[in-house]
Amino acid sequence: MKAPLLIVSKRAYSSSSSTIPVTTETLSVHFNRLVDRSSASSWNSVIADLARNGDSAEALRAFFWMRRLSVAPGRSTFPCALKSCAALASLPSGRQLHLQAFLLGLHHDLFVSSSLVDMYSKCGELADARRMFDETPRRNAVVWTSMIVGLVSNGRPRDGLSLFRELLAGECAEEGGEPVDPVLAVAVLSACSRMADKPVTSGIHGLLVRIGLAADVSVGNTLIDAYAKCGDLELAREVFDGMEARDVISWNSLIAVYAQNGRPAEAMEAFQEMVKCGYVHYNAMTLSAVLFTCAQAGALQFGKCIHNQVVRMGLEDDVYVGTSLVDMYCKCGRVVMARRAFDRMQNRNIKSWTAMIAGYGMHGHGGKALEVFAEMRRSSLRPNYITFVSVLAACSHAGLMNEGRHWFCAMKREFDIDPGLEHYACMVDLLGRAGHLREAYDLIMGMRIEPDSVVWGALLAACRIHKDVELGEVSARKLFELDPKNCGYYVLLSNIYANAGMWSDAERMRTLVKCRGLVKPPGYSSVELRGRIHVFLSGDKEHPQHEEIYSYLAMLMEKMHAAGYVTDTGSVLHDVDQEEKETVLHLHSEKLAVAFGIMNTLPGAAIQVIKNLRICGDCHTAIKVISKIASREIVIRDSNRFHHFRDGWCSCGDYW
């Protein structure tokens, strides 16, 4: 008989070699629960109860006391003990259990071998899991499922699907054809989700329909996610609508699908439908998903309603819901309310702190972001990769050059975190916006990883701000190679040329866009009014109030010009006359949204607008003037950050 792959030898095992410490207190607790301390079945009952209740460390302690008392474990002892090793990701303990199963001749028992495959997979030892799988003489569906789940959960979905094909065509079918069960179906669909391959997903879906598993709730829930990851939200909705039975996870899946694919209106409709269908006991996961959609849409009023529900359910202190509230208020322009929600949280994890740091950063409060970062470190929480992205982004938005340089260097030196693409992009943005374009370029050239389009895009944007044609061309050439179908880079370079008076080069870029069939994503702005989201495109005439909006905006423009506002037409093509240039700029979507907001709210009320692209220079100047004329606070969330306009000034200090 071939010995299993083990680090410890047969001699290595003794009662004192356990990786789980055994105390006299633990011994007395387990002894008190035992009917017969020499009975394997009594110990099995204790170990099974502990493992089932999630007390994995205690389950292993009980196992090792059982062995210390020379009680021999049986085929039903090892699965529960191995499950506990898997839950703790304790590979040394798992190897000791494997050795004992081998010595007792139980390692090829189907229950034990499937548990060993699962344990090695969850400890990240796929090679050992596969060897155990291959050495199992008569594999049933449970063993196959353990191996397939292990491959998928360890980032090898394609290998998991290949093994599934072997299962369908090979030995399991030959040995009586044990049917695919819901657990295996969910694992295979999870692989489809990770691969985002629609033909494969459709093929698996067809198979599950034929064998009668598509009606299973857990299968349907996973299928919704699989189709969504393939980009087919309509098919995901069809699966949901076709489910004979749904649970709260079904609704959560649908809401998450819409939220994560930029469809907040549908997500909120699904949430309201869920409540109407009687799911009043929706859980923290659902509320977090809905709050996420509110954050994406800037739906502050709806978000406040969800917050009220959170309070009624006593979930404010739930770490996931609390973090979602912080994120929602930050992205809806209410950073003070976000801080209140943050301060009310009794328990915070690294995501909670990072959300608050990011929130202050996107609103331009770099100093406050760093204060929260310092408070987090004092709480003994160690910053992670994403935390430093938020810290560096906050430094970038606030122009905190020295602080940004310090923390970029400290990442590796103090916290052993290698800078990634996101960190480099933040630093290039920070240096570039401050006018240190050559230093930003040198940083890119010295990167140990290949710079991506975000890094080069940050440099190109900085070149537009500081009108650096030479570096702008260098970064644009790189971007044309990395992301040739992105129209925005051509437009940015065209604007750099236009600002430099190089009109023929600007026109050449515009011609390239047309020749290559590239389409610039349309700019749009949205504003929430009494629970409804109103969306405006540039030059929009679809809104029911468009005539009144245009008339009001014309009146505002007269007052703005009288106050000294001059339209910035520098980046509009030179072959368009001055009047047409001004008309184009005056009808930008953010100006229409601001005018609509002022018209339809009480004097003094704040206006909040969400813009899908970066706000243009002319709109930024115009809205500063409008805030003074109309005596309003106007908040614009563009694709980069928040701008709080008040009394003719902007919180960004014209640094964006």
Side-chain angles (χ1 to χ4, degrees):
M1 184 183 293
K2 190 176 181 181
L5 176 63
L6 296 170
I7 288 179
V8 294
S9 67
K10 292 182 183 180
R11 277 185 199 172
Y13 179 77
S14 69
S15 60
S16 61
S17 69
S18 161
T19 58
I20 302 295
V22 181
T23 64
T24 55
E25 291 82 2
T26 303
L27 176 63
S28 64
V29 169
H30 294 316
F31 271 20
N32 290 336
R33 295 183 58 186
L34 290 171
V35 177
D36 181 356
R37 294 167 189 171
S38 63
S39 165
S41 61
S42 295
W43 281 103
N44 289 348
S45 177
V46 169
I47 294 167
D49 285 347
L50 290 168
R52 189 163 40 246
N53 292 326
D55 203 342
S56 303
E58 286 297 297
L60 289 182
R61 287 189 180 100
F63 177 87
F64 287 117
W65 268 114
M66 175 187 185
R67 296 300 290 130
R68 173 171 283 188
L69 296 174
S70 302
V71 180
R75 65 191 295 265
S76 32
T77 315
F78 283 101
C80 293
L82 286 165
K83 176 185 176 183
S84 299
C85 293
L88 296 169
S90 177
L91 184 61
S93 296
R95 289 197 187 281
Q96 287 185 22
L97 286 170
H98 189 174
L99 177 59
Q100 295 222 22
F102 175 76
L103 293 173
L104 293 168
L106 292 172
H107 61 298
H108 282 163
D109 177 89
L110 284 175
F111 290 105
V112 178
S113 58
S114 63
S115 299
L116 282 166
V117 170
D118 179 67
M119 181 274 296
Y120 280 125
S121 296
K122 287 179 178 168
C123 290
E125 296 291 327
L126 277 182
D128 289 357
R130 185 60 197 246
R131 177 170 175 179
M132 190 66 235
F133 174 81
D134 291 338
E135 290 179 353
T136 303
R138 293 177 60 84
R139 292 172 287 207
N140 64 1
V142 178
V143 181
W144 284 88
T145 299
S146 297
M147 192 66 242
I148 292 168
V149 169
L151 288 166
V152 175
S153 61
N154 279 278
R156 289 170 57 180
R158 198 170 297 278
D159 292 339
L161 285 175
S162 295
L163 197 60
F164 179 64
R165 293 190 188 97
E166 288 183 38
L167 166 64
L168 295 178
E171 104 183 46
C172 189
E174 293 168 5
E175 294 187 5
E178 288 197 36
V180 177
D181 66 3
V183 176
L184 179 54
V186 167
V188 172
L189 288 172
S190 297
C192 294
S193 291
R194 291 175 183 240
M195 289 172 58
D197 189 323
K198 186 177 173 182
V200 173
T201 302
S202 298
I204 300 295
H205 186 187
L207 169 68
L208 296 175
V209 169
R210 287 195 300 276
I211 62 179
L213 274 180
D216 182 88
V217 173
S218 59
V219 171
N221 294 342
T222 315
L223 192 54
I224 290 169
D225 181 67
Y227 276 126
K229 293 286 171 42
C230 296
D232 198 326
L233 272 62
E234 283 63 38
L235 266 178
R237 181 70 203 224
E238 280 183 27
V239 170
F240 177 85
D241 290 338
M243 293 174 70
E244 295 177 6
R246 301 174 188 139
D247 59 12
V248 71
I249 297 174
S250 311
W251 288 97
N252 289 345
S253 299
L254 183 67
I255 292 167
V257 160
Y258 284 133
Q260 292 163 8
N261 285 275
R263 307 258 293 258
E266 288 96 328
M268 287 186 280
E269 285 174 12
F271 174 74
Q272 290 166 332
E273 187 181 349
M274 173 186 177
V275 175
K276 288 177 185 175
C277 290
Y279 286 86
V280 292
H281 300 295
Y282 35 87
N283 59 19
M285 184 167 62
T286 306
L287 292 165
S288 295
V290 177
L291 287 167
F292 176 79
T293 70
C294 295
Q296 297 304 105
L300 177 63
Q301 295 309 314
F302 193 76
K304 285 181 176 178
C305 292
I306 301 301
H307 189 178
N308 291 336
Q309 185 64 45
V310 167
V311 172
R312 285 195 293 271
M313 295 176 69
L315 286 173
E316 264 191 307
D317 197 40
D318 180 273
V319 69
Y320 301 105
V321 175
T323 301
S324 298
L325 281 168
V326 171
D327 181 63
M328 183 273 292
Y329 279 123
C330 285
K331 289 178 179 172
C332 287
R334 298 296 187 270
V335 71
V336 173
M337 296 176 76
R339 183 58 194 252
R340 286 178 192 154
F342 178 79
D343 288 340
R344 280 195 290 265
M345 294 175 68
Q346 297 299 313
N347 300 303
R348 302 172 187 143
N349 60 14
I350 191 67
K351 291 183 179 179
S352 312
W353 289 94
T354 299
M356 196 66 250
I357 293 167
Y360 274 133
M362 70 178 72
H363 285 271
H365 303 310
K368 290 183 178 179
L370 293 179
E371 286 173 10
V372 173
F373 181 52
E375 190 181 344
M376 185 199 82
R377 286 182 289 122
R378 285 194 296 272
S379 74
S380 300
L381 264 180
R382 187 178 178 83
N384 63 15
Y385 184 98
I386 302 299
T387 308
F388 276 109
V389 173
S390 299
V391 168
L392 294 175
C395 292
S396 175
H397 290 317
L400 302 176
M401 181 72 61
N402 293 334
E403 292 86 347
R405 284 175 172 144
H406 168 77
W407 288 115
F408 182 75
C409 295
M411 280 175 56
K412 180 65 177 175
R413 185 180 64 244
E414 295 181 26
F415 300 95
D416 197 30
I417 297 174
D418 291 314
L421 291 169
E422 298 92 339
H423 305 106
Y424 280 109
C426 289
M427 284 305 296
V428 170
D429 188 63
L430 171 61
L431 295 167
R433 289 181 190 281
H436 298 271
L437 295 174
R438 183 56 58 178
E439 184 180 348
Y441 177 73
D442 290 342
L443 179 65
I444 295 175
M445 290 294 97
M447 286 174 61
R448 295 182 179 179
I449 51 178
E450 191 69 25
D452 66 355
S453 58
V454 180
V455 174
W456 284 109
L459 182 60
L460 180 61
C463 290
R464 184 198 61 79
I465 294 170
H466 296 287
K467 303 178 182 178
D468 190 314
V469 175
E470 181 185 354
L471 274 182
E473 289 177 329
V474 171
S475 52
R477 279 196 296 271
K478 291 287 186 181
L479 288 163
F480 296 160
E481 293 173 9
L482 291 167
D483 193 3
K485 294 184 179 180
N486 191 319
C487 177
Y489 305 135
Y490 295 85
V491 173
L492 267 177
L493 184 57
S494 175
N495 289 341
I496 291 173
Y497 286 140
N499 285 329
M502 301 168 65
W503 294 107
S504 60
D505 290 300
E507 179 60 31
R508 178 169 55 85
M509 286 297 106
R510 306 269 177 166
T511 302
L512 269 177
V513 168
K514 292 178 183 177
C515 292
R516 295 179 181 178
L518 305 178
V519 179
K520 184 185 179 204
Y524 65 83
S525 299
S526 64
V527 59
E528 183 187 25
L529 182 67
R530 291 184 280 277
R532 278 193 62 198
I533 306 292
H534 297 259
V535 180
F536 297 89
L537 297 172
S538 184
D540 200 341
K541 293 189 177 180
E542 296 298 319
H543 195 277
Q545 287 184 265
H546 73 270
E547 291 183 358
E548 298 97 308
I549 294 169
Y550 279 34
S551 175
Y552 185 78
L553 193 53
M555 180 271 292
L556 271 180
M557 284 297 174
E558 288 182 13
K559 292 184 177 180
M560 290 161 62
H561 286 303
Y565 162 69
V566 177
T567 308
D568 178 7
T569 60
S571 61
V572 183
L573 289 181
H574 70 293
D575 56 354
V576 178
D577 63 40
Q578 184 66 20
E579 184 178 350
E580 188 175 347
K581 289 179 183 179
E582 293 193 6
T583 301
V584 169
L585 291 169
H586 290 172
L587 299 182
H588 273 189
S589 64
E590 51 265 63
K591 291 192 182 83
L592 298 177
V594 166
F596 170 79
I598 295 174
M599 288 169 52
N600 289 278
T601 55
L602 294 173
I607 309 297
Q608 180 157 324
V609 173
I610 293 179
K611 174 76 186 284
N612 69 319
L613 304 176
R614 182 183 179 277
I615 188 172
C616 79
D618 179 71
C619 284
H620 192 269
T621 301
I623 295 171
K624 282 198 295 185
V625 180
I626 292 173
S627 71
K628 186 174 181 66
I629 291 172
S631 299
R632 298 290 192 105
E633 179 185 2
I634 301 169
V635 182
I636 306 284
R637 185 183 99 188
D638 70 6
S639 60
N640 190 48
R641 61 168 297 157
F642 274 87
H643 302 262
H644 293 257
F645 299 91
R646 188 185 290 110
D647 197 30
W649 298 91
C650 179
S651 61
C652 74
D654 298 336
Y655 186 86
W656 88 103

